[in-house]
Amino acid sequence: MKNYKNSKIEEIKKITIFPGLNKLGQKEKFEKIEINKGEVVAIVGLTGAGKSQFLYDIEKLAQKDTKSKRTILVNDKVPNKELRFNPKKKLIASLSQSMNFLTDVSVENFLKLHMQARGKTIKEKLLKEILDEANEISGEPISPKMNLLNLSGGQSRALMVADIANISISPIILIDEIENAGIKKEKAIEFLIQENKIVLIVTHDPSLALNASKRLIIKNGGVVKVLKTTLREKGIAYYLNWAESYSLDIREKIRKGEMIDEVCLFCEPTKSRKKI
Amino acid sequence: MKLIIFAGTPGSGKTSIIKYVIEELKDQFKICFVKFDCLQTKDDEYISEKYKIKSIKKLAQDLCPDHFEALETPKIIKENQDKDIIILETAGLCLRCSPYVKEGLGINVIDATAGQPERYGPILTQADIVAVSKGDLISQAEREIFRANILKVNQGAKIVEANGLTGEGAIDIIEYIKSISELKEKKLTLKQSMPSAVCGYCYGNKILDEVSAQKRFLAGKKIKSLVPNLNCGKCGFKSCNEFIRAVLDGKVKQDKCPFIKK
């Protein structure tokens, strides 16, 4: 435990990815990819294209020693061994749709346990903040006395996001297909970026992909294209978010047992989301 | 030669992780893989077929598999002097035992979904490396709590996040394997003595040698025939077996037992 308190996390300003080889043994088609603090990057491609391997390379800060032979620099430097192999110094937190809570404990005590494991003092204020954020992301309210095991899939994922944003100090977050979790995904991403983290997100969701600052297209185990999101695409993402809010609104009504006979029009997509 | 011992409960992902380690090391080093199990295993055949390396099957049958491993290890080393790395995979049935030796590298593969690390004995507390598997099934927070709890019971542990499906963690383990020193001494010493049963190791023998185990067994058996085996605690030890070990270790005289005095 002592070691945790003493472990300092180096400030990450950016990571740089140098090409490796695809599944056919050919060099990937990019010079280098730079990702800065506070940036969201989407990783897209067909199932089995090698998206998870890309996340793994980042997680391991690969130095030509993973299957893909990619190289990752942190702040323009080769990361030292400590950073790569000592989990206490690990820079990366991850979140995927296959993750579940398995600890039989209340939400409140769980967050406290996590703070202790991270060597932090327990602050009631922070607890409240995390729950508030989780509740904004989740459709269904989470209360501190609820048992962790009884949370729904959406509630669990919402709590995981709020927890990662606030307690895990990791400056890099890897997200694997969050869209299927039944949470307000833009809100979740928003909380993560607020904390000045680097967010890499594997996604099949068009609005999430177009909301990112750039997207990497992966095929046959290699990055084949790096696209910077255009202004036009951002506009389209905005429109998609708006359109989705209708579907979310109707979804909530259906869940409450209401009959649907019309679609309410919102003029301001972002504000309307809060009403839901 | 280097001796690597993988221990972990069945289903924790030992064999899968070993496969990834062997795949990376087989071209650089001469490897011998030894699979210990109780009654049956095919892992050794699978590995020798897939990676074209030497593999050995060791079935403990009626013996405790960890004691059996301690008895067999010196023989395996003797018979495989031409190899660079010997990888032993234990049956992994017991948390109290651990056949880790001081001169080798002990790796515990532990399933992150299998409950609190505090419950594990020497298999975890004496390991040099703790490879946490199935971490991808639990939340980031729980992974961090799990890690902190491992460090509570094994402060010096090097923790690796491993995954038998994707091979995650294999590069970390390889890094450690490359960094440890070769076996120099002929004599290997267990990190932790084993619990009592029916052989020399049952009476606390720690040197991996048949003769010394047998000597210890006979000495232990002699005292065992004198004590009441009631675990009465009058000698100050919790059990008669613990008392016998203490006598054999020279920590206490045998007349401390009131029954022997008479």
Side-chain angles (χ1 to χ4, degrees):
Chain A
M1 291 298 283
K2 247 186 278 161
N3 298 338
Y4 266 93
K5 284 177 189 161
N6 297 336
S7 68
K8 268 191 200 137
I9 297 275
E10 192 190 328
E11 203 207 331
I12 305 293
K13 296 197 186 81
K14 74 167 177 186
I15 54 173
T16 316
I17 300 141
F18 290 95
L21 306 173
N22 69 11
K23 283 177 187 166
L24 307 169
Q26 300 151 333
K27 197 180 161 209
E28 288 179 283
K29 289 174 187 158
F30 63 92
E31 287 299 311
K32 63 175 180 180
I33 300 169
E34 289 186 328
I35 306 172
N36 295 305
K37 188 163 103 166
E39 199 176 339
V40 180
V41 174
I43 296 153
V44 299
L46 301 176
T47 308
K51 301 189 291 292
S52 299
Q53 174 69 39
F54 190 86
L55 285 194
Y56 178 62
D57 290 342
I58 306 262
E59 178 152 9
K60 283 284 145 197
L61 301 173
Q63 298 301 320
K64 292 194 165 64
D65 51 1
T66 61
K67 258 187 219 156
S68 68
K69 310 283 176 218
R70 289 190 185 104
T71 313
I72 317 283
L73 299 188
V74 175
N75 296 342
D76 290 321
K77 287 182 303 215
V78 175
N80 62 26
K81 277 197 178 171
E82 272 269 282
L83 218 52
R84 301 190 63 207
F85 294 114
N86 184 347
K88 280 182 268 175
K89 300 264 164 91
K90 216 169 143 182
L91 305 167
I92 288 129
S94 53
L95 177 65
S96 83
Q97 53 178 352
S98 61
M99 284 176 190
N100 286 299
F101 284 126
L102 289 174
T103 316
D104 187 4
V105 63
S106 72
V107 168
E108 179 182 37
N109 287 337
F110 175 72
L111 293 173
K112 285 182 184 167
L113 269 177
H114 189 199
M115 288 183 202
Q116 279 170 345
R118 273 290 193 178
K120 292 186 174 183
T121 44
I122 294 164
K123 287 191 193 112
E124 295 295 331
K125 201 180 144 223
L126 182 61
L127 274 180
K128 202 181 161 293
E129 265 174 43
I130 297 170
L131 273 168
D132 287 348
E133 282 191 13
N135 276 322
E136 263 192 74
I137 304 166
S138 157
E140 313 131 83
I142 305 165
S143 77
K145 299 280 178 230
M146 277 180 173
N147 188 297
L148 210 56
L149 301 179
N150 295 340
L151 298 183
S152 70
Q155 284 172 322
S156 299
R157 226 67 57 191
L159 188 62
M160 283 179 201
V161 171
D163 173 272
I164 285 180
N166 291 286
I167 303 181
S168 298
I169 24 181
S170 319
I172 304 172
I173 315 268
L174 308 179
I175 298 174
D176 207 340
E177 297 186 29
I178 202 179
E179 59 261 29
N180 302 331
I183 57 172
K184 292 171 196 161
K185 48 199 193 256
E186 289 81 19
K187 201 89 227 165
I189 302 290
E190 199 183 302
F191 280 126
L192 294 172
I193 321 171
Q194 262 174 23
E195 305 298 325
N196 245 328
K197 303 189 187 248
I198 289 176
V199 180
L200 284 116
I201 176 162
V202 165
T203 186
H204 298 296
D205 181 285
S207 71
L208 273 184
L210 296 180
N211 261 326
S213 60
K214 50 173 102 79
R215 59 183 187 275
L216 315 180
I217 292 89
I218 299 197
K219 202 177 161 185
N220 267 334
V223 174
V224 289
K225 245 186 216 175
V226 182
L227 293 177
K228 228 178 150 203
T229 313
T230 61
L231 208 59
R232 215 181 157 80
E233 284 174 332
K234 292 226 162 154
I236 293 172
Y238 191 70
Y239 172 76
L240 279 176
N241 283 347
W242 189 16
E244 261 171 36
S245 67
Y246 294 124
S247 132
L248 260 180
D249 182 47
I250 294 173
R251 191 185 83 164
E252 288 308 304
K253 283 184 179 154
I254 291 174
R255 277 151 57 108
K256 283 179 196 150
E258 291 172 27
M259 298 292 289
I260 310 297
D261 52 13
E262 59 171 4
V263 178
C264 299
L265 285 179
F266 306 111
C267 293
E268 258 297 323
T270 39
K271 273 186 191 162
S272 71
R273 307 191 71 75
K274 281 197 176 165
K275 273 192 209 159
I276 297 164
Chain B
M1 179 195 286
K2 292 178 180 184
L3 180 64
I4 317 296
I5 299 172
F6 277 88
T9 51
S12 56
K14 293 188 297 290
T15 313
S16 310
I17 290 164
I18 289 172
K19 278 183 209 159
Y20 281 99
V21 171
I22 290 178
E23 191 174 349
E24 289 297 320
L25 290 176
K26 68 174 166 41
D27 297 332
Q28 289 174 57
F29 302 98
K30 277 182 267 168
I31 304 175
C32 173
F33 170 73
V34 189
K35 169 67 189 176
F36 282 88
D37 221 321
C38 295
L39 301 170
Q40 206 200 24
T41 181
K42 285 212 163 109
D43 292 347
D44 57 312
E45 293 161 32
Y46 177 84
I47 285 194
S48 67
E49 209 170 279
K50 179 150 191 205
Y51 303 110
K52 311 282 178 247
I53 60 164
K54 181 175 180 185
S55 76
I56 303 172
K57 190 199 308 272
K58 291 279 180 189
L59 296 177
Q61 304 284 2
D62 291 339
L63 267 180
C64 155
D66 285 346
H67 287 230
F68 179 63
E69 182 166 338
L71 289 163
E72 293 293 313
T73 302
K75 286 186 219 161
I76 293 167
I77 291 175
K78 212 167 160 189
E79 286 162 13
N80 290 285
Q81 283 299 323
D82 60 321
K83 298 287 184 294
D84 302 316
I85 296 173
I86 294 181
I87 296 177
L88 303 183
E89 181 183 345
T90 72
L93 296 180
C94 174
L95 306 176
R96 162 63 183 84
C97 243
S98 86
Y100 302 138
V101 293
K102 286 179 186 158
E103 296 78 5
L105 187 70
I107 302 173
N108 178 209
V109 180
I110 184 169
D111 179 344
T113 65
Q116 301 124 346
E118 297 95 308
R119 283 180 14 213
Y120 289 74
I123 198 172
L124 170 64
T125 58
Q126 301 293 315
D128 301 298
I129 296 177
V130 180
V132 181
S133 66
K134 303 185 190 175
D136 56 329
L137 299 177
I138 60 171
S139 63
Q140 178 74 30
E142 281 164 307
R143 271 201 297 282
E144 287 170 13
I145 294 169
F146 197 76
R147 188 187 302 151
N149 287 341
I150 289 173
L151 290 172
K152 271 187 209 163
V153 293
N154 184 349
Q155 275 101 8
K158 301 210 165 61
I159 301 176
V160 170
E161 286 185 355
N163 186 330
L165 296 176
T166 61
E168 181 186 353
I171 55 171
D172 307 55
I173 292 171
I174 289 161
E175 188 75 22
Y176 289 124
I177 291 178
K178 285 184 177 164
S179 71
I180 63 157
S181 53
E182 308 269 331
L183 288 181
K184 280 186 204 107
E185 291 169 54
K186 287 221 165 128
K187 202 184 279 175
L188 300 176
T189 313
L190 284 176
K191 285 187 158 197
Q192 171 98 17
S193 62
M194 294 186 166
S196 302
V198 291
C199 65
Y201 299 102
C202 320
Y203 291 113
N205 184 49
K206 284 176 93 173
I207 293 167
L208 300 194
D209 171 40
E210 275 172 68
V211 178
S212 117
Q214 183 63 12
K215 241 166 112 181
R216 183 89 168 193
F217 174 59
L218 293 174
K221 204 169 147 193
K222 205 169 156 195
I223 309 173
K224 182 99 173 159
S225 67
L226 299 173
V227 297
N229 290 305
L230 297 170
N231 301 334
C232 69
K234 283 181 186 157
C235 58
F237 292 89
K238 280 200 293 289
S239 68
C240 292
N241 279 329
E242 218 178 296
F243 172 68
I244 296 170
R245 283 164 176 249
V247 174
L248 294 174
D249 284 336
K251 286 180 191 154
V252 65
K253 289 237 162 76
Q254 72 173 41
D255 59 9
K256 192 88 191 283
C257 170
F259 294 87
I260 291 184
K261 245 184 202 168
K262 276 176 202 168

